[in-house]
Amino acid sequence: MSGHLAGKTALVTGSVQGIGLAVAKSLAGAGARIAVHGLASEAEAAAAEDEVRAAGATEAKFFEGDLRDAAAIGKLVKAVEDWGPLDVLVNNAGVQKTVSIADADAATWDAIIAVNLSAAFHTMHYALPNMARREFGRVVNIASVHGLVASKEKAPYVASKFGLVGMSRVAALEYASVGSRETGGVTINCICPGWTETALIEPQIEARAQQAGGGRAEGVRALLSEKQPSLRMSDPSEIGDLAAWLCHKTAHNITGAAIPVDGGWTSQ
């Protein structure tokens, strides 16, 4: 399916590292122009642009936008639309903090909900009507296995990801009849990764390593043995390749899905 996004423009939020960068590179490999976004210095943004170009993007450009600010999100989407019609939106940016309900404060709740859930609402609010007018669009929301099942000490994060899955299903229903098999239609789906090799989970690995009295490998094993039957973490590129496949025209009837990539976690 290489090249199926030739001539298309994609915005991937939080794409200067981790899963977001991997998704941007997979979309680039499919021929898309990539709007890179995230919290980054000038040098970090340039490095991400270079990686995306090397992966195959005909063009790559960094865009700023504070995802905690609805007005800034509107400006971000407009800036990308001015650069090129936005065909693919990947809401990837996310934050997490492991804390009990009793110990969580209002600032933690507000920050996690703002970035993980509200920001995706605002990007879809601005992007989906234009996709509908063009009769083609793909929204891929990077949720989490924690959008399907819960874990202790993650109430704000789990709430944000369950909300993202539910909101995506509503959007899928609202846009299901747009376009045709020939145009590709407008689809909205979630990918729900389990344990994946990213910086986001390093604090949890470190905590488990300390509990186990060992190094990082022991911390990883402790995490996976509790939840992920495959005992293997996913590589971010695997999430990226799934996102790119969901953007193919032949995926026109896959919408409203929440696809786990979790080594059997949610099958238990």
Side-chain angles (χ1 to χ4, degrees):
M1 290 188 180
S2 179
H4 65 273
L5 292 178
K8 305 293 188 185
T9 298
L11 166 62
V12 184
T13 67
S15 51
V16 294
Q17 63 179 350
I19 290 176
L21 179 56
V23 170
K25 290 165 70 173
S26 290
L27 298 178
R33 304 164 73 241
I34 305 296
V36 179
H37 166 272
L39 296 174
S41 66
E42 187 174 330
E44 290 167 337
E49 289 176 340
D50 288 343
E51 281 200 54
V52 170
R53 290 191 195 97
T58 53
E59 295 181 76
K61 182 178 179 181
F62 180 79
F63 291 82
E64 294 183 332
D66 186 345
L67 297 184
R68 299 166 298 180
D69 182 341
I73 293 170
K75 292 177 182 177
L76 166 64
V77 174
K78 184 179 186 305
V80 175
E81 286 275 11
D82 289 344
W83 184 55
L86 181 53
D87 303 293
V88 175
L89 168 64
V90 181
N91 284 304
N92 165 77
V95 294
Q96 181 182 162
K97 183 175 181 179
T98 302
V99 62
S100 69
I101 290 175
D103 292 334
D105 57 21
T108 297
W109 173 268
D110 290 345
I112 291 174
I113 295 297
V115 175
N116 295 4
L117 179 57
S118 297
F121 168 80
H122 294 304
T123 56
M124 290 195 295
H125 167 77
Y126 289 110
L128 280 168
N130 289 328
M131 291 179 177
R133 280 191 282 274
R134 294 188 290 267
E135 297 191 347
F136 177 84
R138 294 290 184 267
V139 177
V140 180
N141 290 324
I142 306 301
S144 167
V145 66
H146 284 118
L148 303 172
V149 295
S151 293
K152 293 187 293 184
E153 299 187 337
K154 293 183 179 177
Y157 186 76
V158 168
S160 71
K161 295 301 186 177
F162 264 72
L164 184 58
V165 169
M167 180 172 66
S168 299
R169 288 173 172 163
V170 172
L173 292 173
E174 292 183 358
Y175 287 87
S177 63
V178 169
S180 65
R181 185 165 54 191
E182 289 70 32
T183 68
V186 175
T187 67
I188 300 93
N189 292 292
C190 288
I191 297 175
C192 301
W195 295 119
T196 307
E197 291 270 12
T198 69
L200 188 67
I201 66 169
E202 285 302 319
Q204 294 175 71
I205 292 174
E206 183 179 347
R208 294 302 181 94
Q210 291 175 355
Q211 291 170 10
R216 185 180 186 277
E218 286 75 17
V220 169
R221 281 196 294 272
L223 275 178
L224 270 61
S225 64
E226 182 180 308
K227 299 284 189 180
Q228 194 147 307
S230 68
L231 300 180
R232 299 186 300 272
M233 283 203 282
S234 297
D235 186 85
S237 65
E238 297 158 14
I239 310 302
D241 289 347
L242 175 55
W245 179 79
L246 287 170
C247 293
H248 200 282
K249 275 188 179 181
T250 58
H252 66 95
N253 254 344
I254 301 174
T255 193
I259 304 172
V261 185
D262 65 0
W265 184 334
T266 54
S267 295
Q268 299 178 99

